[in-house]
Amino acid sequence: MVDVTGTSTSRPRSGAVSPVARRVAGGRRNPHVVGADETAPRWLRRSAGVSWRLLVVVAAVVLVFYATSRVQLLFVAVFLALVFTAVLRPLVDAMDRVMPRGLATALALLAGILFFLGMLTYVGYSIATQWNDLARQFETGIDQITDFLESGTLPFTITNDQIVDAIDEGVAWVREHAGDIATQAAASAGSVAVGFTALALAIFCTVFFLARGTQMWTWFLNQLPVRVRESWVTAGGAGWYTFSGYTRGTVLIALADGVLAFVLLSVLRVPLAAPLAVLVLIGAFIPLIGAPAAMVVAMIVALAANGLWSAVAVGVGIALIGQLEGHVLQPLIMGKQVSLHPVVVALAVTAGTLTAGILGAVISVPLVAVAWAVYSRLRTLDPPMDEEDAADGSEPVDDEDDGARPAGTTPVAAPPGG
C-alpha cells in the first residue's frame, strides 16, 4: 500500500521482523521482539516441556490414589459390584428373553448367593466331620517330622529339646504380647463388619447395574458435551469388554482349578480336600502369588497327615494344574481379551501389593488391563518396526560410512553441476 507521498506503508507480514525491531538493542535475545526464546538449547526446552507434563500426570495419579484411599469402602463396594455384574450379566441377558428384566436380575442374584453359601456350608461341614481325624494325623505327622529332623540325615541336626525350647519361647511371646494380639483381634472384628457393609453395598449396586445398567450409562453420556461422547463410548466399550472378559475368565479358571485340586487331593487321600480346594480356588484370583501360597498350605497338610511323599505328590500335582491353567485354560477362555506381558503382570501385582496389600494384588491386574485396553483403542498407532530395524540402533556407528563428520554439523548439499 502506497500513501499520497509515494512512500510504501505496507505492513510487515506475520512473523517477519521490522527493521526498527532489528535495530533495537538486544532484539535478537528478546522473545517479545523476535517471537522466540533462543537462550536455552532446544533439547533442554523439549525436556522441560515433557518433564512438567509428566509431573502433572503423576500429580493426577497421586490425587486419584489419595481420594481412593479416603473412600476405600466405597471403592471396594463398586469394584465388587462390577465383578458381580460381569459374572451374572450373561445369565441375566439369557433369562431376560423369557421374563422381565427385574425378575431375571433377582433370580440370577439369588442363584449366585445360594451358590456361594452352599460352597461355604460344604467347606464347614467337611472341616467339622474331618477335624478329629485330621488332628490325630497331624500329631502323627509332627512326630514323623521331628524324627526326621533328629535322625541326622540333614546337614544340621535339631534335637527334641531345641523344638521344646522353641515352643516355650513362642508361648512366652504370646503371653507378653497378649494385649497387642487382643487389640489386633478387635481391629479384625471391625474389619469384618466393614467387609459386610461393603458386601451389602456391592449387592445393592449390582441390582441396579444388572437391571438398569444401559440406562445409567446412557444418562451419563448425555451429561457430556456432544464432541466427546464418541470417545467415551469407545473407551467405555473397550474397558467393559476387557474387564468383563477378565472377570468371567478368572472365575471360570478358578472353578476349574478348585475342581481339579479337589480331585487330586481326594485321590491322594489328603484330609480337608474340600477346604484346600476352596483355598486353591481363592488363590486363582491373585496372580503369581495365590497359587504358590495355596500349594504350600496343601503340601504342609499332606506332609503332616500322610508323610513326605504325599506332600511331594501334592506339590507336583498343583504345579501341573498351574501349567494347565497358563497354557490351556487362559488362552482358551480369555483369548485376546487380556493381553498383558508376564513382566507387566508381575510389576502390577507387586505395585498393588505394596500399595494396598492383598486387595491391591487382586485389583491391580484388571485395572492395568482396562487402562491398556482403553489406551489401545484411543491412540493412533504408527507403522510398527521390525526387530531387525529396532536392533540397528544398538550397533556402533562407523566413522568411515558417516564421513567422519564432527558432531553437531550438518552436511551441505553440493551445488548443481559441482
Side-chain angles (χ1 to χ4, degrees), residues 79-393:
F79 181 82
L80 289 178
L82 293 175
V83 171
F84 297 158
T85 303
V87 174
L88 299 176
R89 182 69 177 271
L91 181 59
V92 173
D93 292 340
M95 292 190 298
D96 186 29
R97 302 173 183 176
V98 296
M99 63 180 65
R101 184 80 179 183
L103 181 59
T105 300
L107 292 178
L109 195 59
L110 181 61
I113 294 175
L114 290 178
F115 175 80
F116 181 74
L117 293 179
M119 185 175 62
L120 291 182
T121 302
Y122 181 71
V123 169
Y125 176 77
S126 300
I127 294 176
T129 55
Q130 300 181 21
W131 183 258
N132 293 330
D133 295 338
L134 177 63
R136 291 193 298 269
Q137 293 176 351
F138 194 82
E139 183 179 358
T140 304
I142 292 296
D143 294 337
Q144 294 177 357
I145 295 174
T146 303
D147 295 338
F148 178 75
L149 294 176
E150 292 179 349
S151 62
T153 57
L154 297 176
F156 55 88
T157 302
I158 299 179
T159 62
N160 191 24
D161 295 336
Q162 292 175 341
I163 297 176
V164 172
D165 293 339
I167 295 175
D168 293 338
E169 292 177 359
V171 172
W173 184 88
V174 170
R175 291 176 179 174
E176 293 176 359
H177 297 81
D180 297 337
I181 295 176
T183 303
Q184 293 179 0
S188 300
S191 301
V192 171
V194 172
F196 277 109
T197 303
L199 183 60
L201 182 58
I203 294 175
F204 179 79
C205 294
T206 303
V207 173
F208 289 94
F209 289 167
L210 290 174
R212 296 290 183 266
T214 304
Q215 290 84 343
M216 295 172 66
W217 175 243
T218 305
W219 176 87
F220 173 76
L221 292 176
N222 289 332
Q223 312 309 309
L224 302 176
V226 176
R227 64 180 183 274
V228 300
R229 290 178 184 175
E230 184 177 356
S231 298
W232 275 90
V233 169
T234 302
W240 178 249
Y241 175 79
T242 301
F243 182 82
S244 60
Y246 176 84
T247 303
R248 287 194 292 265
T250 302
V251 170
L252 293 177
I253 291 173
L255 291 175
D257 289 349
V259 171
L260 293 176
F262 177 75
V263 173
L264 172 68
L265 297 174
S266 299
V267 170
L268 296 177
R269 298 184 181 278
V270 177
L272 299 179
L276 293 175
V278 172
L279 184 62
V280 173
L281 185 149
I282 296 174
F285 289 93
I286 308 176
L288 302 179
I289 301 176
M295 181 179 65
V296 169
V297 174
M299 289 179 63
I300 291 175
V301 174
L303 176 64
N306 298 336
L308 177 63
W309 293 111
S310 178
V312 173
V314 169
V316 172
I318 295 181
L320 292 177
I321 292 175
Q323 294 298 316
L324 177 66
E325 170 192 338
H327 293 86
V328 178
L329 295 180
Q330 285 190 357
L332 182 63
I333 296 176
M334 291 188 181
K336 296 183 179 180
Q337 289 178 325
V338 181
S339 55
L340 293 179
H341 196 275
V343 174
V344 177
V345 175
L347 294 177
V349 172
T350 303
T353 304
L354 295 176
T355 304
I358 298 298
L359 177 63
V362 173
I363 68 176
S364 59
V365 175
L367 291 183
V368 172
V370 169
W372 176 251
V374 173
Y375 171 74
S376 300
R377 288 294 299 272
L378 296 180
R379 67 175 175 172
T380 301
L381 189 62
D382 294 330
M385 295 179 62
D386 296 332
E387 294 183 1
E388 296 179 357
D389 296 336
D392 289 342

Side-chain angles (χ1 to χ4, degrees), residues 63-76:
L63 180 61
V64 170
F65 273 93
Y66 175 76
T68 303
S69 65
R70 304 304 297 177
V71 290
Q72 186 175 3
L73 185 145
L74 181 62
F75 177 79
V76 172

